[in-house]
Amino acid sequence: MGTNVEASYNLSQLAHPLLKASGNGSIVFLSSVAGIASVPSSSIYATSKVPLSLIRGLEHGTSDSNTLIRAPMKRTGLPREVSATVAFLCLRASSYITGQIFCVDGGLTVNVAP
């Protein structure tokens, strides 16, 4: 929790004066779809980071089979697919976007009840 949650909070506090003085800047946090949709094998991960076994599965293009069955694209996302969203959020064109959740998840959360 210290590394995955508290560090983000502390870094934001330290960066705030610098970002404010610069007149622009972005902080983009990445987390898991487990915070939006139920991933039974990763309940603790919803508040922290991926367990090592899940990371190893993602590196090899596999994941929890139940999760992939629910994802319309039937695969895990590629780093370039996620990084494109992060890059957009760091552009001036997105400067009016604040405090939002973007699910870059291949459609996994499309059927999640509000």
Side-chain angles (χ1 to χ4, degrees), residues 43-97:
S43 60
I44 294 174
Y45 170 61
T47 59
S48 187
K49 294 289 181 190
V50 178
L52 188 55
S53 61
L54 183 55
I55 291 172
R56 288 188 181 129
L58 293 174
E59 288 173 349
H60 300 293
T62 62
S63 184
D64 181 332
S65 60
N66 290 328
T67 301
L68 289 180
I69 289 168
R70 291 173 37 201
M73 294 186 76
K74 304 292 187 220
R75 65 178 179 82
T76 56
L78 300 173
R80 70 172 186 260
E81 294 170 316
V82 176
S83 63
T85 302
V86 174
F88 167 70
L89 292 171
C90 292
L91 294 173
R92 252 194 215 287
S94 68
S95 64
Y96 202 64
I97 298 172

Side-chain angles (χ1 to χ4, degrees), residues 7-51:
S8 299
Y9 177 77
N10 292 334
L11 182 61
S12 295
Q13 285 187 314
L14 291 171
H16 179 262
L18 300 172
L19 293 172
K20 188 174 181 179
S22 76
N24 69 36
S26 300
I27 297 176
V28 178
F29 290 106
L30 301 178
S31 66
S32 169
V33 71
I36 303 293
S38 172
V39 180
S41 64
S42 302
S43 60
I44 294 174
Y45 170 61
T47 59
S48 187
K49 294 289 181 190
V50 178

